[in-house]
Amino acid sequence: MGTRKTVTLHDLSAELGLSIQTISKALGGKPGMSEETRARIARTAYRRGYLTVAQARELASRGIAPYPTFQLRFALIQSRQSTNYNTLLAEGLRQRLELLDHRLECHTLDEDLSDSAFEEWMERISLPTADGLFIAPRLLSDTTERKLFGLSLPKVLINYPRPLSELDSVIWDVYEAVCMAVDRLVRLGHKRIMYVGDIGSQRGFARRWQAFQEMMGEHGLVCGLESQLTGDWDAETLQDKLEEVQPTAIIAGIDEDIERLFRNLDELGYRVPEGLSVIGLANGPVAAVPGLSRPELLIRETGYKAADKLLWRLANGSEPWEHIRIAGPFIEGETARRLES
């Protein structure tokens, strides 16, 4: 890697057509401009790799070189099953690493490989010579994940860790998101809340269900498994469960189910939110349901934090393992409303 050209306030001023004073105030968080101008300055500074003294000091305090002298190569291992949110995750990782002149390679592993085939696959993508490894959620099998855990590379798991896992982890906090969804519905007067979604095939899915049970219990509400829709379902099984349970609200726990749920509810004659409130754990905005009420899952931000965590681990190899959960705010939307008494 060549010598990095230092970006100055003069460079940013010339590119943006703004005064140095305005740019300095924006990056220092001082008033005197519109939020649109402040955001444009921040985006340009980020893209150009400009760091304020405070930002550089903050990175250095964690052992992360703000202006590294050589480029590191990192790998993200994912499955096709998770590409809908891994796009956001990879964006966060790549933006953060490229800011520091490092490189991210994304690789897909959708087969449960034998030991010899796994070794060949690693050699083909030059994984053993990578400087670090990010392991995305929803890999094909536990066996594949354990093989990646066993590699002698610095690594960050982007998922909830298994018990006794000896590695760092960072994850957008779906547990807190479900707790937030239940609490919001209860505060709107709902007591018959039905959970819709897989509760066991992935650790993140199991965490969602655990959160639903715990938060319903916190409010003294019944949440028996028989009152939820947790297996494979279609419009007919949804209708049967709605008639049986008669919920006033639904939490759709899995992103892939949300559009289908709203379509089926419409076909069955349920009006949202007039007849039934719905909160969904969407990975981002849902085009088919633009006003969805939802806890925001900070997937891109998780990528930023995971990149920082792996760079920190490279500089602090003997420090204890850390497990970080990132919670976002609640987006009110238009699909949940107060229950009429």
Short mmCIF file of all heavy atoms in Angstrom, two decimals, residues 114-169:
data_model
loop_
_atom_site.label_atom_id
_atom_site.label_comp_id
_atom_site.label_asym_id
_atom_site.label_seq_id
_atom_site.Cartn_x
_atom_site.Cartn_y
_atom_site.Cartn_z
N SER A 114 -17.07 -31.70 4.07
CA SER A 114 -16.21 -32.63 4.80
C SER A 114 -14.93 -31.90 5.19
O SER A 114 -14.63 -30.82 4.68
CB SER A 114 -15.87 -33.84 3.92
OG SER A 114 -15.07 -33.43 2.82
N ASP A 115 -14.16 -32.50 6.08
CA ASP A 115 -12.93 -31.85 6.55
C ASP A 115 -11.99 -31.55 5.39
O ASP A 115 -11.42 -30.45 5.30
CB ASP A 115 -12.23 -32.73 7.58
CG ASP A 115 -12.99 -32.79 8.89
OD1 ASP A 115 -13.91 -31.97 9.08
OD2 ASP A 115 -12.66 -33.65 9.73
N SER A 116 -11.82 -32.51 4.48
CA SER A 116 -10.90 -32.29 3.36
C SER A 116 -11.43 -31.23 2.40
O SER A 116 -10.68 -30.38 1.91
CB SER A 116 -10.67 -33.61 2.61
OG SER A 116 -11.89 -34.12 2.10
N ALA A 117 -12.74 -31.25 2.13
CA ALA A 117 -13.33 -30.25 1.24
C ALA A 117 -13.27 -28.86 1.87
O ALA A 117 -13.08 -27.86 1.18
CB ALA A 117 -14.78 -30.62 0.92
N PHE A 118 -13.43 -28.81 3.19
CA PHE A 118 -13.34 -27.53 3.90
C PHE A 118 -11.93 -26.95 3.78
O PHE A 118 -11.75 -25.75 3.54
CB PHE A 118 -13.71 -27.73 5.37
CG PHE A 118 -13.73 -26.46 6.18
CD1 PHE A 118 -14.76 -25.55 6.04
CD2 PHE A 118 -12.72 -26.18 7.08
CE1 PHE A 118 -14.79 -24.38 6.79
CE2 PHE A 118 -12.73 -25.02 7.83
CZ PHE A 118 -13.76 -24.11 7.69
N GLU A 119 -10.92 -27.82 3.91
CA GLU A 119 -9.53 -27.37 3.76
C GLU A 119 -9.29 -26.84 2.35
O GLU A 119 -8.64 -25.80 2.16
CB GLU A 119 -8.58 -28.53 4.05
CG GLU A 119 -8.57 -28.99 5.50
CD GLU A 119 -7.90 -27.99 6.43
OE1 GLU A 119 -7.08 -27.18 5.93
OE2 GLU A 119 -8.20 -28.00 7.63
N GLU A 120 -9.82 -27.54 1.34
CA GLU A 120 -9.66 -27.09 -0.05
C GLU A 120 -10.35 -25.75 -0.28
O GLU A 120 -9.81 -24.87 -0.97
CB GLU A 120 -10.23 -28.15 -1.00
CG GLU A 120 -9.43 -29.44 -1.03
CD GLU A 120 -10.11 -30.50 -1.88
OE1 GLU A 120 -11.16 -30.19 -2.48
OE2 GLU A 120 -9.60 -31.64 -1.93
N TRP A 121 -11.54 -25.60 0.29
CA TRP A 121 -12.27 -24.34 0.15
C TRP A 121 -11.49 -23.19 0.78
O TRP A 121 -11.37 -22.11 0.20
CB TRP A 121 -13.65 -24.48 0.81
CG TRP A 121 -14.41 -23.20 0.90
CD1 TRP A 121 -15.12 -22.58 -0.10
CD2 TRP A 121 -14.54 -22.36 2.05
NE1 TRP A 121 -15.68 -21.42 0.36
CE2 TRP A 121 -15.35 -21.26 1.68
CE3 TRP A 121 -14.07 -22.45 3.36
CZ2 TRP A 121 -15.68 -20.24 2.57
CZ3 TRP A 121 -14.40 -21.44 4.25
CH2 TRP A 121 -15.19 -20.35 3.86
N MET A 122 -10.92 -23.41 1.95
CA MET A 122 -10.13 -22.37 2.62
C MET A 122 -8.93 -21.97 1.78
O MET A 122 -8.62 -20.78 1.65
CB MET A 122 -9.67 -22.85 3.99
CG MET A 122 -10.74 -22.89 5.05
SD MET A 122 -10.01 -22.92 6.71
CE MET A 122 -8.98 -24.38 6.60
N GLU A 123 -8.25 -22.95 1.20
CA GLU A 123 -7.08 -22.65 0.38
C GLU A 123 -7.48 -21.87 -0.87
O GLU A 123 -6.78 -20.96 -1.31
CB GLU A 123 -6.36 -23.94 -0.01
CG GLU A 123 -5.68 -24.65 1.14
CD GLU A 123 -4.56 -23.82 1.75
OE1 GLU A 123 -3.94 -23.01 1.01
OE2 GLU A 123 -4.31 -23.96 2.96
N ARG A 124 -8.64 -22.23 -1.43
CA ARG A 124 -9.09 -21.59 -2.67
C ARG A 124 -9.34 -20.09 -2.46
O ARG A 124 -9.10 -19.28 -3.36
CB ARG A 124 -10.35 -22.28 -3.17
CG ARG A 124 -10.79 -21.84 -4.56
CD ARG A 124 -11.79 -22.80 -5.17
NE ARG A 124 -13.04 -22.88 -4.42
CZ ARG A 124 -13.43 -23.92 -3.70
NH1 ARG A 124 -12.66 -25.00 -3.63
NH2 ARG A 124 -14.58 -23.91 -3.06
N ILE A 125 -9.84 -19.72 -1.29
CA ILE A 125 -10.12 -18.30 -1.03
C ILE A 125 -9.00 -17.65 -0.20
O ILE A 125 -9.15 -16.51 0.23
CB ILE A 125 -11.47 -18.12 -0.32
CG1 ILE A 125 -11.45 -18.73 1.08
CG2 ILE A 125 -12.61 -18.69 -1.16
CD1 ILE A 125 -12.68 -18.38 1.91
N SER A 126 -7.91 -18.39 0.01
CA SER A 126 -6.75 -17.88 0.78
C SER A 126 -7.14 -17.44 2.18
O SER A 126 -6.61 -16.46 2.71
CB SER A 126 -6.09 -16.71 0.03
OG SER A 126 -5.66 -17.12 -1.25
N LEU A 127 -8.06 -18.19 2.80
CA LEU A 127 -8.51 -17.82 4.14
C LEU A 127 -7.40 -17.91 5.19
O LEU A 127 -7.31 -17.05 6.07
CB LEU A 127 -9.71 -18.68 4.54
CG LEU A 127 -10.42 -18.27 5.84
CD1 LEU A 127 -10.92 -16.84 5.76
CD2 LEU A 127 -11.59 -19.22 6.11
N PRO A 128 -6.52 -18.94 5.13
CA PRO A 128 -5.49 -19.04 6.18
C PRO A 128 -4.55 -17.84 6.24
O PRO A 128 -3.93 -17.59 7.27
CB PRO A 128 -4.73 -20.31 5.80
CG PRO A 128 -5.71 -21.13 5.03
CD PRO A 128 -6.50 -20.12 4.25
N THR A 129 -4.44 -17.08 5.15
CA THR A 129 -3.53 -15.93 5.15
C THR A 129 -4.25 -14.61 5.39
O THR A 129 -3.63 -13.54 5.33
CB THR A 129 -2.77 -15.84 3.81
OG1 THR A 129 -3.72 -15.70 2.73
CG2 THR A 129 -1.92 -17.09 3.59
N ALA A 130 -5.56 -14.66 5.67
CA ALA A 130 -6.29 -13.44 6.00
C ALA A 130 -5.81 -12.92 7.35
O ALA A 130 -5.30 -13.67 8.19
CB ALA A 130 -7.79 -13.70 6.03
N ASP A 131 -5.97 -11.64 7.57
CA ASP A 131 -5.56 -11.04 8.85
C ASP A 131 -6.64 -11.16 9.91
O ASP A 131 -6.36 -10.96 11.10
CB ASP A 131 -5.21 -9.57 8.63
CG ASP A 131 -3.98 -9.41 7.76
OD1 ASP A 131 -2.88 -9.76 8.23
OD2 ASP A 131 -4.12 -8.96 6.60
N GLY A 132 -7.86 -11.46 9.51
CA GLY A 132 -8.93 -11.61 10.47
C GLY A 132 -10.19 -12.11 9.79
O GLY A 132 -10.32 -12.06 8.56
N LEU A 133 -11.14 -12.57 10.60
CA LEU A 133 -12.32 -13.26 10.07
C LEU A 133 -13.57 -12.76 10.77
O LEU A 133 -13.61 -12.65 12.00
CB LEU A 133 -12.15 -14.76 10.30
CG LEU A 133 -13.31 -15.69 9.97
CD1 LEU A 133 -13.61 -15.65 8.48
CD2 LEU A 133 -12.97 -17.11 10.41
N PHE A 134 -14.60 -12.45 9.98
CA PHE A 134 -15.93 -12.14 10.49
C PHE A 134 -16.85 -13.31 10.13
O PHE A 134 -16.90 -13.72 8.96
CB PHE A 134 -16.48 -10.85 9.89
CG PHE A 134 -15.66 -9.63 10.18
CD1 PHE A 134 -14.79 -9.13 9.22
CD2 PHE A 134 -15.75 -8.99 11.40
CE1 PHE A 134 -14.03 -8.00 9.47
CE2 PHE A 134 -14.98 -7.86 11.67
CZ PHE A 134 -14.12 -7.37 10.70
N ILE A 135 -17.59 -13.82 11.10
CA ILE A 135 -18.49 -14.95 10.87
C ILE A 135 -19.92 -14.45 11.00
O ILE A 135 -20.35 -14.02 12.07
CB ILE A 135 -18.23 -16.08 11.88
CG1 ILE A 135 -16.76 -16.52 11.81
CG2 ILE A 135 -19.15 -17.26 11.61
CD1 ILE A 135 -16.36 -17.48 12.91
N ALA A 136 -20.66 -14.47 9.89
CA ALA A 136 -22.01 -13.92 9.85
C ALA A 136 -23.02 -14.90 10.43
O ALA A 136 -22.75 -16.09 10.56
CB ALA A 136 -22.39 -13.57 8.41
N PRO A 137 -24.23 -14.42 10.77
CA PRO A 137 -25.28 -15.31 11.27
C PRO A 137 -25.80 -16.25 10.19
O PRO A 137 -25.57 -16.05 9.00
CB PRO A 137 -26.39 -14.35 11.72
CG PRO A 137 -25.77 -13.00 11.76
CD PRO A 137 -24.65 -13.02 10.77
N ARG A 138 -26.51 -17.28 10.64
CA ARG A 138 -27.28 -18.18 9.78
C ARG A 138 -26.42 -18.93 8.78
O ARG A 138 -26.77 -19.06 7.60
CB ARG A 138 -28.41 -17.42 9.07
CG ARG A 138 -29.42 -16.83 10.02
CD ARG A 138 -30.55 -16.12 9.32
NE ARG A 138 -31.47 -17.06 8.69
CZ ARG A 138 -32.59 -16.69 8.08
NH1 ARG A 138 -32.91 -15.41 8.02
NH2 ARG A 138 -33.38 -17.58 7.54
N LEU A 139 -25.28 -19.44 9.24
CA LEU A 139 -24.54 -20.37 8.39
C LEU A 139 -25.31 -21.67 8.28
O LEU A 139 -26.24 -21.93 9.03
CB LEU A 139 -23.14 -20.61 8.97
CG LEU A 139 -22.19 -19.41 8.92
CD1 LEU A 139 -20.86 -19.76 9.56
CD2 LEU A 139 -21.97 -18.96 7.47
N LEU A 140 -24.89 -22.51 7.34
CA LEU A 140 -25.67 -23.69 7.01
C LEU A 140 -25.86 -24.63 8.20
O LEU A 140 -26.93 -25.17 8.42
CB LEU A 140 -24.99 -24.45 5.86
CG LEU A 140 -25.70 -25.73 5.40
CD1 LEU A 140 -27.03 -25.38 4.75
CD2 LEU A 140 -24.82 -26.51 4.43
N SER A 141 -24.81 -24.81 9.00
CA SER A 141 -24.90 -25.79 10.07
C SER A 141 -23.99 -25.42 11.23
O SER A 141 -23.06 -24.62 11.09
CB SER A 141 -24.51 -27.18 9.56
OG SER A 141 -23.12 -27.24 9.31
N ASP A 142 -24.26 -26.02 12.38
CA ASP A 142 -23.40 -25.83 13.55
C ASP A 142 -22.00 -26.35 13.26
O ASP A 142 -21.01 -25.79 13.73
CB ASP A 142 -23.98 -26.57 14.76
CG ASP A 142 -25.28 -25.95 15.24
OD1 ASP A 142 -25.58 -24.82 14.81
OD2 ASP A 142 -25.99 -26.59 16.04
N THR A 143 -21.91 -27.44 12.49
CA THR A 143 -20.61 -28.03 12.18
C THR A 143 -19.73 -27.04 11.43
O THR A 143 -18.55 -26.86 11.74
CB THR A 143 -20.79 -29.30 11.34
OG1 THR A 143 -21.62 -30.22 12.05
CG2 THR A 143 -19.45 -29.95 11.04
N THR A 144 -20.31 -26.37 10.44
CA THR A 144 -19.56 -25.38 9.67
C THR A 144 -19.08 -24.25 10.57
O THR A 144 -17.92 -23.82 10.50
CB THR A 144 -20.43 -24.81 8.54
OG1 THR A 144 -20.78 -25.87 7.64
CG2 THR A 144 -19.70 -23.72 7.77
N GLU A 145 -19.96 -23.77 11.43
CA GLU A 145 -19.60 -22.67 12.31
C GLU A 145 -18.47 -23.09 13.25
O GLU A 145 -17.52 -22.33 13.48
CB GLU A 145 -20.81 -22.22 13.12
CG GLU A 145 -20.59 -20.93 13.89
CD GLU A 145 -21.82 -20.49 14.64
OE1 GLU A 145 -22.25 -21.22 15.57
OE2 GLU A 145 -22.36 -19.42 14.32
N ARG A 146 -18.54 -24.29 13.79
CA ARG A 146 -17.50 -24.76 14.71
C ARG A 146 -16.15 -24.88 14.00
O ARG A 146 -15.10 -24.63 14.60
CB ARG A 146 -17.91 -26.10 15.32
CG ARG A 146 -19.07 -26.00 16.30
CD ARG A 146 -19.40 -27.35 16.90
NE ARG A 146 -20.64 -27.32 17.65
CZ ARG A 146 -20.76 -26.90 18.91
NH1 ARG A 146 -19.68 -26.46 19.55
NH2 ARG A 146 -21.92 -26.91 19.52
N LYS A 147 -16.16 -25.27 12.73
CA LYS A 147 -14.90 -25.34 11.98
C LYS A 147 -14.28 -23.96 11.85
O LYS A 147 -13.06 -23.79 11.98
CB LYS A 147 -15.14 -25.96 10.60
CG LYS A 147 -15.41 -27.46 10.62
CD LYS A 147 -15.71 -27.98 9.23
CE LYS A 147 -15.97 -29.48 9.26
NZ LYS A 147 -16.35 -30.01 7.93
N LEU A 148 -15.11 -22.96 11.61
CA LEU A 148 -14.60 -21.60 11.51
C LEU A 148 -14.10 -21.11 12.87
O LEU A 148 -13.08 -20.42 12.95
CB LEU A 148 -15.69 -20.67 10.97
CG LEU A 148 -16.11 -20.91 9.52
CD1 LEU A 148 -17.36 -20.10 9.18
CD2 LEU A 148 -14.99 -20.55 8.56
N PHE A 149 -14.81 -21.49 13.93
CA PHE A 149 -14.37 -21.12 15.28
C PHE A 149 -12.97 -21.66 15.56
O PHE A 149 -12.18 -21.05 16.28
CB PHE A 149 -15.32 -21.67 16.33
CG PHE A 149 -16.62 -20.92 16.46
CD1 PHE A 149 -16.95 -19.88 15.61
CD2 PHE A 149 -17.53 -21.28 17.44
CE1 PHE A 149 -18.15 -19.20 15.73
CE2 PHE A 149 -18.73 -20.60 17.57
CZ PHE A 149 -19.05 -19.57 16.72
N GLY A 150 -12.68 -22.84 15.00
CA GLY A 150 -11.42 -23.50 15.31
C GLY A 150 -10.22 -22.97 14.56
O GLY A 150 -9.08 -23.39 14.84
N LEU A 151 -10.42 -22.06 13.62
CA LEU A 151 -9.30 -21.52 12.85
C LEU A 151 -8.44 -20.62 13.73
O LEU A 151 -8.95 -19.87 14.56
CB LEU A 151 -9.81 -20.73 11.65
CG LEU A 151 -10.62 -21.51 10.61
CD1 LEU A 151 -11.08 -20.59 9.50
CD2 LEU A 151 -9.81 -22.66 10.05
N SER A 152 -7.14 -20.68 13.52
CA SER A 152 -6.21 -19.87 14.32
C SER A 152 -6.06 -18.49 13.70
O SER A 152 -4.97 -18.05 13.32
CB SER A 152 -4.85 -20.56 14.42
OG SER A 152 -4.32 -20.80 13.12
N LEU A 153 -7.19 -17.80 13.58
CA LEU A 153 -7.22 -16.43 13.06
C LEU A 153 -7.94 -15.55 14.08
O LEU A 153 -8.89 -16.01 14.74
CB LEU A 153 -8.01 -16.37 11.75
CG LEU A 153 -7.40 -16.93 10.47
CD1 LEU A 153 -8.45 -16.93 9.36
CD2 LEU A 153 -6.20 -16.10 10.05
N PRO A 154 -7.57 -14.29 14.22
CA PRO A 154 -8.41 -13.38 15.00
C PRO A 154 -9.79 -13.33 14.36
O PRO A 154 -9.90 -13.26 13.13
CB PRO A 154 -7.68 -12.04 14.88
CG PRO A 154 -6.28 -12.39 14.51
CD PRO A 154 -6.37 -13.63 13.67
N LYS A 155 -10.82 -13.38 15.15
CA LYS A 155 -12.15 -13.46 14.57
C LYS A 155 -13.18 -12.77 15.44
O LYS A 155 -13.01 -12.63 16.66
CB LYS A 155 -12.55 -14.91 14.32
CG LYS A 155 -12.61 -15.78 15.58
CD LYS A 155 -12.90 -17.24 15.23
CE LYS A 155 -11.70 -17.94 14.66
NZ LYS A 155 -10.61 -18.15 15.66
N VAL A 156 -14.27 -12.35 14.80
CA VAL A 156 -15.43 -11.80 15.50
C VAL A 156 -16.66 -12.51 14.97
O VAL A 156 -16.89 -12.56 13.75
CB VAL A 156 -15.56 -10.28 15.28
CG1 VAL A 156 -16.91 -9.78 15.78
CG2 VAL A 156 -14.45 -9.53 16.00
N LEU A 157 -17.44 -13.07 15.87
CA LEU A 157 -18.71 -13.68 15.53
C LEU A 157 -19.77 -12.59 15.51
O LEU A 157 -19.93 -11.85 16.49
CB LEU A 157 -19.07 -14.75 16.56
CG LEU A 157 -20.47 -15.36 16.43
CD1 LEU A 157 -20.58 -16.19 15.15
CD2 LEU A 157 -20.79 -16.21 17.66
N ILE A 158 -20.52 -12.50 14.42
CA ILE A 158 -21.61 -11.54 14.36
C ILE A 158 -22.90 -12.31 14.59
O ILE A 158 -23.67 -12.63 13.67
CB ILE A 158 -21.59 -10.78 13.02
CG1 ILE A 158 -20.21 -10.13 12.82
CG2 ILE A 158 -22.67 -9.70 12.99
CD1 ILE A 158 -20.02 -9.45 11.49
N ASN A 159 -23.10 -12.65 15.83
CA ASN A 159 -24.22 -13.48 16.25
C ASN A 159 -24.17 -13.57 17.77
O ASN A 159 -23.20 -13.14 18.39
CB ASN A 159 -24.12 -14.88 15.63
CG ASN A 159 -25.45 -15.63 15.62
OD1 ASN A 159 -26.40 -15.24 16.29
ND2 ASN A 159 -25.51 -16.70 14.85
N TYR A 160 -25.21 -14.16 18.36
CA TYR A 160 -25.13 -14.50 19.77
C TYR A 160 -24.19 -15.69 19.91
O TYR A 160 -24.31 -16.67 19.18
CB TYR A 160 -26.52 -14.85 20.32
CG TYR A 160 -27.45 -13.67 20.38
CD1 TYR A 160 -28.35 -13.42 19.34
CD2 TYR A 160 -27.42 -12.80 21.45
CE1 TYR A 160 -29.20 -12.32 19.38
CE2 TYR A 160 -28.27 -11.70 21.51
CZ TYR A 160 -29.15 -11.47 20.47
OH TYR A 160 -29.98 -10.38 20.52
N PRO A 161 -23.25 -15.64 20.83
CA PRO A 161 -22.27 -16.73 20.93
C PRO A 161 -22.85 -17.96 21.61
O PRO A 161 -23.80 -17.88 22.39
CB PRO A 161 -21.16 -16.11 21.80
CG PRO A 161 -21.88 -15.11 22.66
CD PRO A 161 -22.98 -14.55 21.79
N ARG A 162 -22.26 -19.09 21.29
CA ARG A 162 -22.58 -20.32 22.02
C ARG A 162 -22.01 -20.22 23.42
O ARG A 162 -21.08 -19.46 23.67
CB ARG A 162 -21.94 -21.53 21.32
CG ARG A 162 -22.36 -21.75 19.90
CD ARG A 162 -21.54 -22.88 19.28
NE ARG A 162 -21.89 -23.06 17.89
CZ ARG A 162 -22.95 -23.74 17.48
NH1 ARG A 162 -23.75 -24.29 18.38
NH2 ARG A 162 -23.21 -23.87 16.21
N PRO A 163 -22.51 -21.03 24.35
CA PRO A 163 -21.88 -21.08 25.68
C PRO A 163 -20.41 -21.47 25.55
O PRO A 163 -20.04 -22.31 24.73
CB PRO A 163 -22.68 -22.17 26.40
CG PRO A 163 -24.01 -22.20 25.72
CD PRO A 163 -23.72 -21.89 24.28
N LEU A 164 -19.57 -20.83 26.35
CA LEU A 164 -18.14 -21.11 26.44
C LEU A 164 -17.37 -20.78 25.16
O LEU A 164 -16.27 -21.28 24.95
CB LEU A 164 -17.90 -22.58 26.83
CG LEU A 164 -18.61 -23.08 28.09
CD1 LEU A 164 -18.29 -24.55 28.33
CD2 LEU A 164 -18.23 -22.23 29.30
N SER A 165 -17.94 -19.94 24.31
CA SER A 165 -17.24 -19.57 23.07
C SER A 165 -16.06 -18.66 23.39
O SER A 165 -16.21 -17.65 24.08
CB SER A 165 -18.19 -18.84 22.11
OG SER A 165 -19.22 -19.69 21.68
N GLU A 166 -14.91 -19.02 22.87
CA GLU A 166 -13.70 -18.23 23.11
C GLU A 166 -13.40 -17.34 21.91
O GLU A 166 -12.46 -17.56 21.15
CB GLU A 166 -12.53 -19.17 23.43
CG GLU A 166 -12.73 -19.94 24.73
CD GLU A 166 -11.52 -20.75 25.12
OE1 GLU A 166 -10.59 -20.89 24.29
OE2 GLU A 166 -11.49 -21.25 26.26
N LEU A 167 -14.23 -16.34 21.74
CA LEU A 167 -14.05 -15.35 20.68
C LEU A 167 -14.94 -14.16 21.00
O LEU A 167 -15.86 -14.25 21.81
CB LEU A 167 -14.39 -15.92 19.30
CG LEU A 167 -15.85 -16.07 18.87
CD1 LEU A 167 -15.92 -16.46 17.40
CD2 LEU A 167 -16.62 -17.05 19.71
N ASP A 168 -14.64 -13.02 20.37
CA ASP A 168 -15.47 -11.83 20.54
C ASP A 168 -16.72 -11.95 19.68
O ASP A 168 -16.72 -12.61 18.63
CB ASP A 168 -14.68 -10.58 20.12
CG ASP A 168 -13.45 -10.35 20.97
OD1 ASP A 168 -13.59 -10.30 22.20
OD2 ASP A 168 -12.35 -10.22 20.40
N SER A 169 -17.79 -11.29 20.11
CA SER A 169 -19.01 -11.29 19.32
C SER A 169 -19.67 -9.91 19.37
O SER A 169 -19.55 -9.18 20.36
CB SER A 169 -20.00 -12.35 19.82
OG SER A 169 -20.51 -12.00 21.10
#
